[in-house]
Amino acid sequence: MTKLWTLLSALHSLAGPVVMLLYPLYASVIAIESPSKVDDEQWLAYWILYSFLTLSELILQSLLEWIPIWYTAKLVFVAWLVLPQFRGAAFIYNRIVREQFKKYGILKPKVEHQAE
């Protein structure tokens, strides 16, 4: 049982960097090289949210140490942000971040240019 637990711990430790950094870095390069803007939005939103999550962790580190499942919960949340089936990063950006920036006047509404 101890060997199984060690294996699971090692996989868990490896999954974090792969899900949170390695795959997003790869997907971001692919998005930049593609002609579509949809994937660009997803990955820009991901890096904004990942940066915010990292800064929040730095500030709340002493509190988060008391939550035993924090790293697992973070891993599941980041997987939801990253997986293309969910497009979680774009969803959160559009529903929360953009709305808060508009609410406080930081982000101006887009002006549509009409052809004359």
Side-chain angles (χ1 to χ4, degrees):
M1 186 67 174
T2 306
K3 289 181 181 182
L4 177 62
W5 186 253
T6 303
L7 177 65
L8 289 176
S9 296
L11 288 174
H12 191 268
S13 298
L14 182 63
V18 169
V19 170
M20 293 183 220
L21 293 170
L22 192 59
Y23 176 71
L25 286 168
Y26 169 77
S28 296
V29 171
I30 298 301
I32 288 172
E33 296 301 322
S34 79
S36 172
K37 295 272 186 204
V38 173
D39 53 359
D40 295 353
E41 180 186 61
Q42 162 67 15
W43 293 109
L44 281 170
Y46 172 77
W47 291 112
I48 290 167
L49 294 170
Y50 183 77
S51 298
F52 179 75
L53 182 61
T54 302
L55 287 171
S56 299
E57 277 186 311
L58 288 172
I59 293 167
L60 302 172
Q61 183 176 5
S62 59
L63 176 66
L64 294 174
E65 289 173 355
W66 289 92
I67 304 172
I69 63 164
W70 168 247
Y71 188 76
T72 302
K74 175 184 170 185
L75 186 58
V76 169
F77 175 69
V78 170
W80 179 76
L81 292 176
V82 166
L83 289 172
Q85 298 90 327
F86 302 113
R87 290 184 30 86
F91 176 82
I92 293 216
Y93 179 80
N94 289 323
R95 295 284 173 98
I96 298 172
V97 176
R98 179 181 286 153
E99 295 305 316
Q100 291 302 311
F101 273 61
K102 284 182 184 177
K103 180 178 175 181
Y104 293 104
I106 299 168
L107 184 64
K108 304 294 183 221
K110 288 183 182 179
V111 177
E112 299 295 327
H113 296 284
Q114 295 179 353
E116 295 179 16

